[in-house]
Amino acid sequence: MNYNFSLCLATLVFAAFTTAAPEACAQTKAQTITVIQPESTLKDFIRAVESQSNYTFVFGQDIDLSLKIRAEFKDLTLPQILQAALTPLGIKWKIEKSHIILKSADSRTRKITISGYVTDAASGESLIGANVIDRMHQTGGCTNNFGFYSVPVYVGETAMNYSFTGYSSQLHQLNIQNDTVINISLKSDLRLEEVMVSAEKSTTGFYSASTGSIEMPISKVRNTPSLLGESDVIKSIQMLPGADAAIEGFSGLLVRGGSPDQNLYMFDGIPIYSIDHLFGFFSVFDPQIVKKMDFYKGSFPARFGGRLSSVVDIRSNDGDLYNYHGAFSIGLLSSKFNLEGPIVKGRTAFNLSLRRSYMDLIARPFMSGRETYYLYFYDANIKLNHKFNDRSRLFLGFYQGRDCMGMDKKSYSSDYYSTMKSYDMNWGNRLASLRWNYQLNDVLFLNTTVSYNNYNMKYDNKDTAIDTYEEYCEESVSKKYHSGIEDVSANVDFDYYHSENHSMKFGAGLLHHHFSPDVETSQFSQKENAISTDTLYQAPHNSELDAEEISLYMEDQFQAGEKCLINIGARFSGFFVGKKNYFSLEPRLSLRYALSSDWAVKASYNTMSQYISLLSTSAISMPTDLWVPITDNLKPMRSHQFSTGLYLNRPNGWEFSLEAYAKLMNNVLEYKDGFGFLGSSRSWDCNVAQGKGRSAGIETTIRKNTGRTTGWISYTLAKSDRKFSQEVNEGKRFPFKYDRRHSIKMMLTHRFSKKVEVNAAWSYITGGTATIPLQRTVVSHPTESSRDYSYGNNIPGVFEIDYNQGRNNYRLPASHLLNLGINFIKQKKHGIRTWNISIYNVYCAANPTLVYKSTSWPSKWFAGDQNQIVVRKKSLFPIVPSVSYSYKF
Amino acid sequence: MKLIKYFFILLFMLLCSCESKEILYPSTQKVMVMNATIAQSYFDNILYLHFTGSDSVTAIIDADVSVYVNGELVQQINEGPKGEYILDFDYVQGDKVRIEATTADSQYHTWAEVTVPEMMHISSVDIVYERVSDYAANKHYSVHIKDLSPQTDYYRMTYIQKSDDETELSCWRYSSHIILPPDPILTDGYSIQDDGHDKELYNKTYNRYLIFNDSKFAGSEAVLKFYKEIGYQATWPLQDSDDIQITVYSITEEEFNYLRQMNVVASNSIIPEISEPLRLPSNVRGGTGFVSISNGEPYIIAGRKE
């Protein structure tokens, strides 16, 4: 901002030279002027003087225009005023012709930059969002996603304060004359574990310009009581206002009237497609490796794009550079193991984590030898980081997670005849990334990422029959199917720190997609004695598709005056698929105005574009769901979101927020009436219609961040609907499937002592909608005679089917759920042991998972009794107690 | 039953609390249903009138039906046993046909308006016999047609075999008996053939109603290919005395979309546990149902008479 102002002044100087110079020269310095500004800045003072004289000020960047000045000068000459006002600020002045030239009186006003990394003292792990504040001038910044900071300070004596949630802060008295690199290691302080300090320059929270964004504390994620004691990142987000689960107990995420595929999940900066294990009961993000998680639903920084509704930005631990340590956890469903430590002390470290469920192992002894079924998932995550020097670091990450299910079955109908049947289905993600961080100079930070991302599903089925009665004869049918999406991407991101009040992020990305929506082959084999024949069928719809995506972005955050913080940016993206090239320009703007030190108002406007979508059969995450790109016939989805809010942040740890939003979505997809995804992507773009969606709501939250009891309670009032052409619901507007009017959520943690803490999560959400055929109708179909009895129906030419009066015509009943958990924590000789006892659905609420139409028969028949058509609901998960043990060393 | 069903059965057996509760069943008002699939080559053209119902439909037998062609009243019917009203009126391509129905108590009134599509002719049909074994052969048909216009046109084909002693009736039944080789036109968007082999992972939708559009031959000629198995005949040349009637109808885009979804119904490819319930499009105002008029000239192939 200073720079911009200087430019303006320079322009004014030029104008003054060319137009008013002669007149100005004639002016006498004895002219008296009056400046009464008891509390103002140097910038205001300059404006006041210029408005009453023909002099213009000329100065360089060494002059800080935000310096406070007390100007109460009445009828004084210009030199007298300048002397009185500027000398105390250490600013020299000189009048030359029509200009007043300002210079810094000493090096005190010259600014230099302190930059470096803030890390954990014990592990060397970089700390994201740590505060770095110059206490003498109350300016500063915070560390970025790689723990890097850059803060401009005045030359000479300064006092730098470094702080981070759960760590003891450090104050350093420094005498600095030149740009300096200072790396700080903060020590963990468990006494502060539950104290959440909002980073003043963070991209989320009270002090940021963003609306609807929050950094979810990992301690809260780990403590959220959940099904079978398996804490889960996504289920914790579902406890926030504006975010809901598609179905209770599952990890699908619905944000502000958006569908599950409108959420961008970034794992260490790489988009991840399938976030679910076991059909969505658990997410792939293991909380023990998560270092930081930001959730955006209102304002979207320009560096994020590609989805309409939300961004979940998850960063994992890099690995301890100095010591070996780890953790393990044993639960009813799965066990986890984590180990990290140095490979070369202080230079290279690794972080390894493994997780596997063992339902299959427990069930195996109970199965007969002829029949074996299995269902399990696993995650493996390894991360290496190497520190070349203070400016340069390299990270190598690899993740693989898969779900596997299958069956082997053998049967013998006689001594000579046997059959074997087997199938195996497995699906999951594989990610690999190479990231290089380099500090180009004290104000410019570079992050370069090359990544590979693959999600696929494979299915293999084989039926074999062997007959050895007279001759050996073997017949087999083998089916193979796979689908998936494969990405290779390269990104370059820059962080530029111009001043404590002005920073920029910019970068570019290139992404190559390879879609294999569904590829299917079948093989029929026959072996008779020595002769064998094979017949191979290729399904007619087998197709693979490539697409390219490019992106350029820039976001600029600056302080406009003392009270206003602005984050403005834009993202330009292009998608090249088939014969079509699509381009989008997405402006982003977030404003924050501080009403006082405790109160702030914010407003934002965001445009987002989405080029790929998920073909899904149901609200539950299925391995058969397919990611497909837009096509020549379908345009990219776009959203425009306006949101505004009022926020309170009290020093005693209480927070209050009230946010309102309105979101308009264009080109959203919906299956045409009568069509659905039936496992094949063939001609899928002919089966969907593009239309408009809108959603609006109010979200309010009261949060307590400090003390023995922490947590939040939130209420959301929301509405979301869709409108399409005649092909969907006859062109009539209809409620969105996940339109839920009211939502109340409460999340509490109470620490009785260092050894015992209790967690409670309760939610009440009004029901979404479903399409339930409540009546029967008849349909006709063409026959040559109009007399067709082929359906066994007594109405020729027509037959009965269910009749839906409208899409999402049925409002589901409300869901409510209470989960409790208690942790018993004990410091042992080599680490910390935690026993967790959880109860899911404490009062056994029968929440609807599946709703369908059925017939109710009278228990006893009496004359005149008739069966009744009713709607029934099925509920998953009654009260589910669980226990888990974990040990951190 | 396909694998995807097993997922859900397994899932629910493992995890379902086995609780099934009745919840609110909202009262719904019955709706008048009007259906007709009209073609001049049909033996009968019937208008079906019913009321929807929560358990089953009810036939409307005493409605007043009026048929207008280009705004002129051409037929009135006052009763329809079993809800069937026999239509008997003339029309030509381009006519606007409007059918109105009002219940006797005048509480329900529905109407539908359809523009008669252009008449479609088959240019010629070639037949080739292929002997596949001593006792079986395939009868290959090549139906030559010419697209009606350079714009998008929609068609459906029917195949009828008239034996000496009976008239086999169902298009639905016949369509499943003829075999579609990888014909780019007739199989567009559908699997090759429901031949009984369980080759694929999912339930697929088959082109039961033999609908297609001209996306692959807009404004030009095309050949529709299919064959029929003729088996278990001891002599050669084969006895093939049945008359064959093949018709390619020109249909409206609305009927094309309607029959696409009827293909889903007829293929039984909906998985109710996980799919959204089917909703067929309707062109009936004031109620629901579908009224269509197809226009095509039958092409008759006389059988070999000894």
Side-chain angles (χ1 to χ4, degrees):
Chain A
M1 204 59 192
N2 292 343
Y3 179 72
N4 294 340
F5 192 66
S6 304
L7 280 178
C8 292
L9 287 177
T11 311
L12 285 172
V13 169
F14 179 76
F17 266 120
T18 53
T19 57
E23 203 177 327
C25 290
Q27 193 176 37
T28 170
K29 294 176 186 174
Q31 180 190 354
T32 59
I33 55 177
T34 298
V35 179
I36 305 293
Q37 291 177 333
E39 284 188 17
S40 64
T41 61
L42 177 59
K43 185 175 161 184
D44 299 326
F45 172 76
I46 289 171
R47 279 183 182 160
V49 172
E50 285 181 335
S51 67
Q52 294 184 52
S53 70
N54 287 325
Y55 287 98
T56 51
F57 285 79
V58 177
F59 49 88
Q61 285 196 35
D62 55 342
I63 301 299
D64 184 356
L65 293 175
S66 65
L67 287 174
K68 296 273 187 288
I69 191 166
R70 184 179 178 84
E72 292 182 49
F73 310 114
K74 193 174 180 186
D75 296 327
L76 294 177
T77 62
L78 187 61
Q80 287 173 321
I81 287 178
L82 294 176
Q83 183 68 25
L86 300 179
T87 306
L89 297 177
I91 297 173
K92 288 180 181 176
W93 56 273
K94 186 180 174 186
I95 298 177
E96 281 190 359
K97 296 184 180 176
S98 60
H99 310 302
I100 302 166
I101 299 167
L102 305 184
K103 269 192 165 184
S104 174
D106 55 30
S107 59
R108 185 67 207 140
T109 53
R110 189 164 67 86
K111 279 193 170 178
I112 45 96
T113 302
I114 298 177
S115 60
Y117 288 88
V118 179
T119 56
D120 180 303
S123 66
E125 190 76 34
S126 56
L127 299 179
I128 303 169
N131 279 318
V132 182
I133 305 293
D134 174 3
R135 283 287 174 221
M136 290 183 75
H137 295 87
Q138 288 302 311
T139 60
C142 72
T143 55
N144 68 6
N145 280 334
F146 310 99
F148 175 78
Y149 74 95
S150 174
V151 175
V153 296
Y154 291 104
V155 167
E157 292 286 333
T158 189
M160 299 301 295
N161 188 71
Y162 296 84
S163 63
F164 188 66
T165 308
Y167 287 77
S168 300
S169 61
Q170 292 182 17
L171 185 65
H172 294 264
Q173 298 282 350
L174 305 166
N175 189 335
I176 295 181
Q177 300 300 323
N178 296 304
D179 292 342
T180 307
V181 174
I182 299 177
N183 293 324
I184 295 292
S185 298
L186 296 181
K187 287 183 180 170
S188 175
D189 188 343
L190 289 177
R191 289 171 303 174
L192 302 173
E193 194 174 6
E194 286 305 320
V195 179
M196 290 162 52
V197 180
S198 297
E200 293 186 7
K201 302 288 178 182
S202 173
T203 54
T204 59
F206 177 77
Y207 292 101
S208 74
S210 300
T211 61
S213 60
I214 188 169
E215 180 189 342
M216 188 77 179
I218 296 306
S219 61
K220 277 280 177 266
V221 173
R222 289 174 184 153
N223 289 335
T224 304
S226 52
L227 185 64
L228 296 171
E230 298 281 338
S231 58
D232 191 287
V233 170
I234 302 300
K235 287 178 184 170
S236 302
I237 294 177
Q238 290 170 355
M239 290 304 295
L240 296 172
D244 289 317
I247 293 180
E248 176 222 314
F250 291 80
S251 61
L253 196 60
L254 306 162
V255 181
R256 290 188 169 178
S259 54
D261 67 344
Q262 292 178 359
N263 306 309
L264 176 66
Y265 300 96
M266 302 286 283
F267 186 62
D268 282 334
I270 306 167
I272 188 163
Y273 288 102
S274 173
I275 61 154
D276 301 303
H277 279 312
L278 287 184
F279 310 101
F281 287 130
F282 307 100
S283 78
V284 298
F285 306 113
D286 179 1
Q288 72 178 354
I289 61 163
V290 174
K291 178 161 65 174
K292 185 172 187 284
M293 184 177 74
D294 290 329
F295 175 56
Y296 302 88
K297 60 184 175 179
S299 299
F300 300 103
R303 60 185 178 278
F304 297 120
R307 302 290 188 280
L308 299 191
S309 289
S310 82
V311 176
V312 180
D313 186 20
I314 293 172
R315 302 279 163 177
S316 67
N317 292 321
D318 296 328
D320 193 327
L321 283 166
Y322 302 105
N323 300 299
Y324 292 97
H325 61 87
F328 66 87
S329 169
I330 300 169
L332 292 180
L333 185 71
S334 71
S335 286
K336 304 174 228 180
F337 172 73
N338 174 240
L339 181 68
E340 58 183 312
I343 296 172
V344 178
K345 204 164 188 178
R347 306 285 287 186
T348 310
F350 73 94
N351 186 353
L352 170 71
S353 68
L354 303 167
R355 177 168 66 156
R356 192 193 189 279
S357 69
Y358 34 66
M359 281 192 306
D360 57 318
L361 302 177
I362 294 170
R364 188 166 292 172
F366 304 101
M367 295 179 192
S368 71
R370 291 184 176 182
E371 284 186 39
T372 312
Y373 298 88
Y374 54 90
L375 174 63
Y376 65 91
F377 70 85
Y378 70 86
D379 290 306
N381 192 73
I382 185 159
K383 199 167 175 182
L384 300 173
N385 86 82
H386 179 72
K387 196 173 167 183
F388 293 108
N389 52 49
D390 285 343
R391 286 180 177 270
S392 177
R393 288 183 87 166
L394 190 72
F395 300 84
L396 180 64
F398 176 80
Y399 165 82
Q400 174 152 321
R402 289 196 89 73
D403 287 64
C404 304
M405 68 178 288
M407 175 199 77
D408 284 307
K409 186 178 179 182
K410 290 176 189 169
S411 61
Y412 301 91
S413 56
S414 70
D415 292 342
Y416 306 105
Y417 188 76
S418 62
T419 58
M420 283 169 282
K421 193 178 180 74
S422 69
Y423 76 81
D424 176 79
M425 176 177 268
N426 61 81
W427 62 97
N429 299 286
R430 181 179 296 159
L431 272 71
S433 66
L434 183 66
R435 202 167 70 231
W436 179 50
N437 289 172
Y438 187 70
Q439 186 185 338
L440 292 165
N441 55 46
D442 294 322
V443 294
L444 194 59
F445 181 86
L446 166 70
N447 173 50
T448 309
T449 310
V450 180
S451 66
Y452 169 80
N453 181 6
N454 181 12
Y455 168 75
N456 63 35
M457 186 275 267
K458 291 178 181 172
Y459 168 76
D460 197 345
N461 180 17
K462 191 170 184 183
D463 292 350
T464 308
I466 300 172
D467 186 351
T468 56
Y469 182 63
E470 288 179 340
E471 298 174 326
Y472 181 85
C473 180
E474 180 183 326
E475 281 186 356
S476 68
V477 181
S478 172
K479 298 173 215 170
K480 290 181 191 293
Y481 174 94
H482 79 262
S483 67
I485 177 170
E486 196 171 17
D487 288 353
V488 178
S489 67
N491 290 281
V492 58
D493 306 283
F494 293 91
D495 287 10
Y496 173 67
Y497 303 88
H498 178 261
S499 68
E500 70 272 21
N501 292 327
H502 185 191
S503 63
M504 295 169 74
K505 291 178 192 288
F506 52 94
L510 178 64
L511 176 60
H512 172 80
H513 297 285
H514 179 74
F515 298 91
S516 312
D518 48 339
V519 179
E520 194 170 347
T521 54
S522 303
Q523 187 172 4
F524 293 78
S525 303
Q526 195 170 31
K527 199 182 283 180
E528 221 169 320
N529 293 327
I531 304 166
S532 64
T533 54
D534 281 336
T535 312
L536 190 68
Y537 289 85
Q538 293 279 351
H541 48 73
N542 288 354
S543 62
E544 303 201 358
L545 189 63
D546 290 289
E548 264 69 45
E549 192 172 344
I550 58 160
S551 59
L552 293 167
Y553 73 87
M554 191 172 93
E555 56 180 274
D556 190 356
Q557 179 160 304
F558 57 91
Q559 193 83 32
E562 281 201 333
K563 295 184 174 180
C564 190
L565 180 66
I566 299 174
N567 187 305
I568 188 166
R571 182 181 181 87
F572 174 77
S573 60
F575 195 81
F576 312 104
V577 62
K579 296 171 186 170
K580 281 267 190 172
N581 301 330
Y582 295 99
F583 297 98
S584 299
L585 181 63
E586 305 162 26
R588 317 276 173 87
L589 175 67
S590 300
L591 303 169
R592 177 185 187 272
Y593 186 82
L595 300 171
S596 68
S597 59
D598 294 349
W599 288 92
V601 289
K602 298 183 191 180
S604 70
Y605 166 74
N606 290 271
T607 302
M608 301 288 275
S609 297
Q610 183 166 340
Y611 299 107
I612 59 173
S613 55
L614 185 68
L615 298 184
S616 180
T617 43
S618 68
I620 295 171
S621 170
M622 295 291 289
T624 49
D625 296 349
L626 298 180
W627 282 98
V628 290
I630 54 167
T631 65
D632 291 352
N633 303 322
L634 298 175
K635 295 174 187 170
M637 293 183 274
R638 281 175 75 84
S639 72
H640 304 270
Q641 186 175 177
F642 309 85
S643 55
T644 184
L646 175 68
Y647 306 83
L648 169 69
N649 183 26
R650 301 287 298 165
N652 59 8
W654 283 93
E655 278 184 22
F656 166 78
S657 68
L658 177 66
E659 276 188 14
Y661 68 90
K663 186 158 72 173
L664 302 172
M665 292 170 276
N666 292 327
N667 303 326
V668 289
L669 299 176
E670 192 82 28
Y671 286 108
K672 293 176 186 172
D673 285 344
F675 289 94
F677 167 59
L678 297 168
S680 169
S681 66
R682 171 76 170 164
S683 304
W684 73 273
D685 57 342
C686 299
N687 300 342
V688 296
Q690 290 201 293
K692 294 187 175 183
R694 59 183 190 180
S695 61
I698 296 172
E699 299 164 358
T700 182
T701 309
I702 299 171
R703 182 186 293 263
K704 188 170 183 288
N705 295 325
T706 56
R708 281 174 172 267
T709 306
T710 57
W712 65 84
I713 180 167
S714 69
Y715 168 73
T716 304
L717 173 67
K719 186 176 182 183
S720 180
D721 61 25
R722 301 285 188 268
K723 190 174 191 309
F724 291 79
S725 58
Q726 194 68 22
E727 295 159 306
V728 179
N729 203 42
E730 297 173 345
K732 295 174 191 163
R733 195 176 288 283
F734 60 93
F736 181 48
K737 186 175 181 181
Y738 305 109
D739 172 42
R740 285 161 178 164
R741 195 71 67 247
H742 306 281
S743 164
I744 303 169
K745 294 171 184 172
M746 188 176 69
M747 172 76 203
L748 289 177
T749 298
H750 182 78
R751 175 167 283 198
F752 288 100
S753 68
K754 282 184 181 179
K755 294 182 178 179
V756 181
E757 65 180 16
V758 173
N759 303 290
W762 180 78
S763 61
Y764 172 89
I765 304 168
T766 49
T769 62
T771 308
I772 297 181
L774 298 172
Q775 296 202 32
R776 299 280 288 171
T777 187
V778 287
V779 291
S780 66
H781 60 119
T783 64
E784 289 301 313
S785 68
S786 294
R787 301 278 166 184
D788 177 17
Y789 295 86
S790 56
Y791 282 85
N793 209 305
N794 59 0
I795 303 170
V798 292
F799 59 94
E800 278 194 37
I801 63 168
D802 285 333
Y803 174 54
N804 303 319
Q805 283 177 303
R807 192 164 291 207
N808 298 336
N809 61 331
Y810 188 81
R811 179 66 66 174
L812 299 170
S815 302
H816 48 97
L817 187 71
L818 173 65
N819 304 330
L820 290 176
I822 183 165
N823 291 331
F824 298 99
I825 306 157
K826 191 169 185 181
Q827 181 75 48
K828 307 287 273 189
K829 191 176 177 184
H830 298 293
I832 298 170
R833 175 273 284 155
T834 305
W835 277 102
N836 171 271
I837 299 170
S838 294
I839 304 174
Y840 183 87
N841 197 0
V842 171
Y843 54 84
C844 204
N847 295 316
T849 302
L850 180 67
V851 176
Y852 58 98
K853 187 176 137 181
S854 180
T855 305
S856 176
W857 305 95
S859 54
K860 290 180 181 175
W861 286 97
F862 295 100
D865 276 357
Q866 286 187 332
N867 54 315
Q868 280 189 318
I869 303 298
V870 296
V871 175
R872 292 182 188 276
K873 66 172 178 179
K874 284 267 184 191
S875 303
L876 288 177
F877 310 125
I879 182 168
V880 184
S882 62
V883 60
S884 68
Y885 174 87
S886 60
Y887 191 84
K888 193 173 179 182
F889 55 91
Chain B
M1 191 113 117
K2 297 291 183 176
L3 181 72
I4 204 158
K5 280 190 174 179
Y6 287 122
F7 290 161
F8 269 79
I9 291 166
L10 176 70
L11 202 65
F12 277 79
M13 281 175 66
L14 284 173
L15 298 163
C16 186
S17 62
C18 299
E19 186 172 11
S20 176
K21 286 191 175 176
E22 291 176 16
I23 53 178
L24 182 66
Y25 183 85
S27 60
T28 51
Q29 288 196 327
K30 64 182 180 184
V31 175
M32 192 170 173
V33 190
M34 178 194 279
N35 282 297
T37 307
I38 301 167
Q40 277 181 337
S41 61
Y42 287 2
F43 301 134
D44 300 315
N45 281 307
I46 299 175
L47 179 79
Y48 299 95
L49 292 178
H50 295 86
F51 280 125
T52 60
S54 61
D55 193 18
S56 64
V57 297
T58 314
I60 304 171
I61 57 171
D62 55 355
D64 292 325
V65 175
S66 304
V67 181
Y68 300 86
V69 175
N70 299 324
E72 188 180 332
L73 181 66
V74 294
Q75 188 186 2
Q76 275 192 307
I77 317 163
N78 296 321
E79 60 180 50
K82 297 180 184 175
E84 300 173 10
Y85 297 77
I86 307 293
L87 299 173
D88 186 13
F89 63 97
D90 293 324
Y91 56 85
V92 294
Q93 61 188 36
D95 282 351
K96 281 192 176 171
V97 177
R98 179 185 171 100
I99 302 175
E100 294 187 1
T102 308
T103 54
D105 60 4
S106 302
Q107 284 200 359
Y108 294 87
H109 174 75
T110 57
W111 60 271
E113 188 169 280
V114 184
T115 302
V116 179
E118 199 173 339
M119 170 70 87
M120 180 67 182
H121 304 273
I122 291 173
S123 308
S124 62
V125 176
D126 298 333
I127 299 173
V128 174
Y129 290 90
E130 176 201 14
R131 192 165 188 175
V132 292
S133 72
D134 289 345
Y135 304 106
N138 290 335
K139 188 176 180 181
H140 290 264
Y141 294 86
S142 296
V143 179
H144 296 260
I145 57 169
K146 187 174 186 313
D147 189 26
L148 288 171
S149 71
Q151 286 78 41
T152 306
D153 296 299
Y154 301 90
Y155 306 100
R156 75 180 163 89
M157 189 183 82
T158 60
Y159 171 96
I160 291 186
Q161 186 170 346
K162 291 176 182 170
S163 57
D164 289 340
D165 54 345
E166 61 172 332
T167 300
E168 293 207 28
L169 303 173
S170 165
C171 164
W172 183 87
R173 197 178 297 158
Y174 269 97
S175 301
S176 66
H177 283 184
I178 67 167
I179 295 171
L180 305 177
D183 183 287
I185 298 168
L186 282 175
T187 57
D188 188 32
Y190 300 94
S191 289
I192 295 174
Q193 178 68 21
D194 182 12
D195 57 3
H197 291 297
D198 191 16
K199 292 195 298 291
E200 293 168 330
L201 179 59
Y202 305 99
N203 292 321
K204 291 285 163 52
T205 300
Y206 302 101
N207 195 1
R208 305 276 191 192
Y209 294 105
L210 298 174
I211 54 170
F212 57 97
N213 62 23
D214 61 358
S215 60
K216 292 184 172 59
F217 61 99
S220 63
E221 295 179 350
V223 182
L224 312 175
K225 291 183 177 177
F226 60 93
Y227 66 92
K228 189 165 177 7
E229 290 175 337
I230 307 169
Y232 306 107
Q233 296 195 28
T235 59
W236 187 267
L238 297 165
Q239 296 296 314
D240 186 19
S241 60
D242 294 345
D243 291 341
I244 303 297
Q245 178 183 299
I246 300 171
T247 313
V248 174
Y249 292 99
S250 166
I251 60 175
T252 61
E253 184 180 359
E254 290 73 27
E255 185 179 355
F256 180 80
N257 289 329
Y258 175 78
L259 291 175
R260 278 187 81 181
Q261 291 162 69
M262 286 293 289
N263 274 329
V264 177
V265 178
S267 302
N268 199 24
S269 52
I270 288 284
I271 304 167
E273 292 87 343
I274 54 173
S275 299
E276 284 286 313
L278 190 78
R279 186 160 193 263
L280 294 167
S282 168
N283 64 350
V284 174
R285 305 288 176 251
T288 187
F290 198 84
V291 174
S292 67
I293 299 178
S294 314
N295 208 357
E297 185 183 28
Y299 190 99
I300 296 170
I301 307 154
R304 284 182 192 171
K305 310 292 183 188
E306 287 295 321

